[in-house]
Amino acid sequence: MRIVVAGGSGFLGRHVVEALQARGHDVLVIARGRQEAPPGTERLICDLARGPVPVERLRGAGAVINLAGIKREAGRQTFEAVHVAATSRLIAGGHEAGIRRFVHVSVVCSRPDARSAYHDTKWRAEQAVRGSGLEFTILKPGVIYGSGDDMVTHLVRMIRFAPVFPIVGAGASLLQPVDVRDVAEAVAAALDRPRSIGGTYDVVGPDSMTLGEVVRTVAQGAGLPLRILPTPVPLMRAAVRLMDGLTSAPLSTPAQLQMLIDGLTGDPRPARRDLGLAPRPFTAESVRALEGGIGPLFGFSLRMVGDRAHSEWLARWRYGFVPALTLAGLALTLQVVLGRAVPNVWYRMAAAGLVLSTAALAGVRIGWRELARIRARHLVLGVAAAGLLYVTGLVVAVLAAKVPSLAAQMARVYGWKSDVPASLAVPLVLMIVLAEEIVWRNAVTLPLAARLGPWRGVLAGAAAFAAAHVPMGVPLLVGAALGAGAFWGALVVRTRSAVPAFVSHALWDLAVLFWLPYVRP
């Protein structure tokens, strides 16, 4: 038959239209905007929130399906207008056009609630349908996931953006995520099964999961480690209100946050009995089928490992964990011994670098050839990273120069330049830089990051690198080694290459010591 679908161009609507067409129905889509209607449908542009539907366009249809709904008010598109007024107009249009069958899609958490306009208007729209005198079926989905959804898309983006996820409260609220294809199947099945007339059905997934379990399932599907941070509800409310006020497409709205706080659960048994619905479980495999092509927030990420392939690449080096610890211990011991035996800092660092880099290449099994492969983008990134590090160091140097004790430490470091012939200075710097990158950023940091996690591994490697500078007796240099070491370690893990960090380290050392020194003689 010919079926009218209000809201048929949205996320759920497109799947409902596809399910109806698979059963041989013709579809007229009512849409407020001018977005493209699903293929093979007739489109009627009509804003039900502001005026009645043209009845003549409805005549001859066998059923009306109402999917219209919003989760955020904007201008005249209020909860009252879209949920209650539009539903009433659609009911009136159905009556006038002689359409008896009406399927209304609401939400499982609808209820009379003076504090929440979203929940209250959803409930009053259901009541209008129940009192319409039409042959109605009301479907109440839980949180819906699927291709083009809000839930999985936003969760994947947030998880890709940062390794820490702020969750609502303790993440204990209950959800039953339901596949959008199952919701669409329930809508289409309601038309096929007269038994559903006059019924109200929860359309939810088969498993009740805590919000924390849902987030962990999404992280597992995306192939990314995650630490969940319990967040007080008042703080989360404030953040959501701020996003809602500042952005046109916030990650969450106050209405969505309230649904997460309350939970979204229902009883799937009536829908299974009367509609024949067998909803799919929400699993990591479900997420894996959907998350391809979803980028992190704002186009960049605070993560050092961005996807499953990257995570698997890093995991390959976890077997070097014990050799890495052994190498770090040898390095710290060697620095102490050489500090007493070799007064010249340059020769001491060169000797330590030669011994340790040889030990690293021979004793730590990581992909040395892969790490050393030179690509143009890595060279460009290394130059840019050197510039960023230089500017950061310049700010620190300007501030340090105002503190006598720190200024004295800077002067001491620059005084070392006179300890080596000018003709040997640059070759020695490059040799020392290469050795330090082989040892600390690759042989030590990569296995630590593989075993401890990217951030903790990078910070642990940077701390060991800083500790190796303690025998030099310059606290400011130890701090610089800690910060720069973490920066270079992150570059190696993030880019899967030793080249950007080496280029950045070499250019920064040469600039600071010779080309653009922070302290002028």
Side-chain angles (χ1 to χ4, degrees):
M1 58 181 153
R2 186 166 183 261
I3 299 175
V4 178
V5 181
S9 59
F11 160 59
L12 174 58
R14 290 179 175 273
H15 289 86
V16 168
V17 167
E18 184 177 333
L20 295 173
Q21 290 175 329
R23 284 169 162 78
H25 298 302
D26 293 325
V27 180
L28 169 65
V29 170
I30 299 179
R32 174 174 60 88
R34 295 188 174 273
Q35 62 265 46
E36 184 179 348
T41 62
E42 182 184 352
R43 182 177 61 176
L44 170 59
I45 298 175
C46 174
D47 188 351
L48 292 170
R50 301 177 63 180
V53 61
V55 174
E56 292 302 320
R57 296 290 297 274
L58 304 188
R59 296 193 189 279
V64 172
I65 296 173
N66 183 25
L67 307 175
I70 57 174
K71 297 204 172 52
R72 180 178 187 247
E73 295 181 310
R76 295 184 180 181
Q77 299 297 306
T78 63
F79 293 135
E80 181 72 28
V82 175
H83 297 161
V84 182
T87 300
S88 298
R89 291 190 180 104
L90 202 55
I91 290 170
H95 272 298
E96 191 172 346
I99 304 172
R100 296 297 302 159
R101 193 72 174 93
F102 196 99
V103 177
H104 179 74
V105 177
S106 182
V107 66
V108 75
C109 64
S110 65
R111 63 175 184 266
D113 190 342
R115 298 171 303 171
S116 170
Y118 176 84
H119 295 78
D120 188 65
T121 54
K122 281 288 189 180
W123 172 258
R124 287 195 285 122
E126 290 180 25
Q127 292 296 81
V129 173
R130 292 187 181 99
S132 66
L134 298 175
E135 296 176 353
F136 71 86
T137 301
I138 296 175
L139 303 176
K140 303 179 66 165
V143 60
I144 304 174
Y145 69 90
S147 178
D149 72 348
D150 285 337
M151 187 189 78
V152 171
T153 297
H154 285 167
L155 285 179
V156 170
R157 283 178 174 164
M158 292 179 71
I159 289 167
R160 283 186 177 176
F161 175 68
V164 177
F165 186 92
I167 203 165
V168 181
S173 56
L174 296 177
L175 305 174
Q176 286 173 267
V178 59
D179 192 304
V180 67
R181 295 170 294 179
D182 293 327
V183 180
E185 185 62 27
V187 172
L191 296 178
D192 297 339
R193 302 189 178 219
R195 185 176 181 179
S196 71
I197 293 174
T200 298
Y201 299 93
D202 296 334
V203 182
V204 294
D207 303 314
S208 181
M209 309 170 68
T210 67
L211 178 57
E213 289 171 338
V214 170
V215 172
R216 290 188 182 92
T217 298
V218 173
Q220 183 183 355
L224 293 171
L226 185 70
R227 180 181 293 273
I228 290 179
L229 177 67
T231 307
V233 171
L235 181 60
M236 190 66 80
R237 287 191 193 278
V240 167
R241 288 195 188 100
L242 183 63
M243 280 194 297
D244 191 52
L246 295 179
T247 67
S248 59
L251 288 174
S252 180
T253 68
Q256 289 172 314
L257 176 61
Q258 190 60 51
M259 285 189 278
L260 291 179
I261 294 170
D262 296 341
L264 288 160
T265 59
D267 184 357
R269 291 174 296 179
R272 183 180 299 116
R273 180 193 65 220
D274 292 351
L275 302 176
L277 189 65
R280 300 166 176 85
F282 181 67
T283 64
E285 287 69 30
S286 308
V287 177
R288 207 165 289 137
L290 300 173
E291 61 99 14
I294 302 175
L297 291 172
F298 317 121
F300 69 92
S301 173
L302 296 177
R303 279 187 175 274
M304 281 180 273
V305 173
D307 55 30
R308 187 178 302 104
H310 198 162
S311 181
E312 291 172 353
W313 172 85
L314 182 60
R316 289 159 55 189
W317 318 129
R318 65 184 182 275
Y319 299 109
F321 182 70
V322 172
L325 292 181
T326 303
L327 182 65
L330 173 62
L332 298 177
T333 303
L334 190 60
Q335 290 291 353
V336 173
V337 172
L338 290 177
R340 297 175 179 176
V342 183
N344 188 296
V345 171
W346 294 78
Y347 299 147
R348 185 197 316 166
M349 294 177 67
L354 182 62
V355 173
L356 294 172
S357 60
T358 301
L361 292 170
V364 182
R365 296 181 61 184
I366 56 176
W368 292 109
R369 290 185 180 180
E370 178 185 354
L371 289 166
R373 189 174 296 123
I374 298 175
R375 295 180 174 88
R377 69 178 183 275
H378 290 156
L379 297 175
V380 173
L381 180 60
V383 173
L388 175 63
L389 196 60
Y390 179 84
V391 172
T392 303
L394 181 61
V395 173
V396 174
V398 170
L399 296 175
K402 298 179 181 181
V403 180
S405 60
L406 298 180
Q409 292 180 43
M410 292 177 62
R412 181 181 175 188
V413 171
Y414 276 99
W416 292 340
K417 291 172 61 176
S418 60
D419 293 343
V420 66
S423 59
L424 291 180
V426 171
L428 273 176
V429 167
L430 293 177
M431 175 187 168
I432 292 167
V433 167
L434 178 61
E436 288 183 342
E437 289 304 308
I438 289 174
V439 174
W440 296 109
R441 249 63 67 192
N442 294 275
V444 171
T445 295
L446 278 179
L448 291 181
R451 181 64 66 90
L452 304 177
W455 275 108
R456 283 179 289 183
V458 164
L459 293 176
F465 180 57
H469 287 72
V470 170
M472 295 182 181
V474 183
L476 187 62
L477 190 60
V478 175
L482 179 64
F487 180 69
W488 293 322
L491 272 180
V492 173
V493 174
R494 184 74 179 265
T495 63
R496 294 185 255 186
S497 172
V499 175
F502 170 75
V503 171
S504 173
H505 191 168
L507 291 179
W508 184 67
D509 273 18
L510 292 173
V512 169
L513 289 172
F514 306 112
W515 302 335
L516 297 167
Y518 294 145
V519 174
R520 298 289 179 179

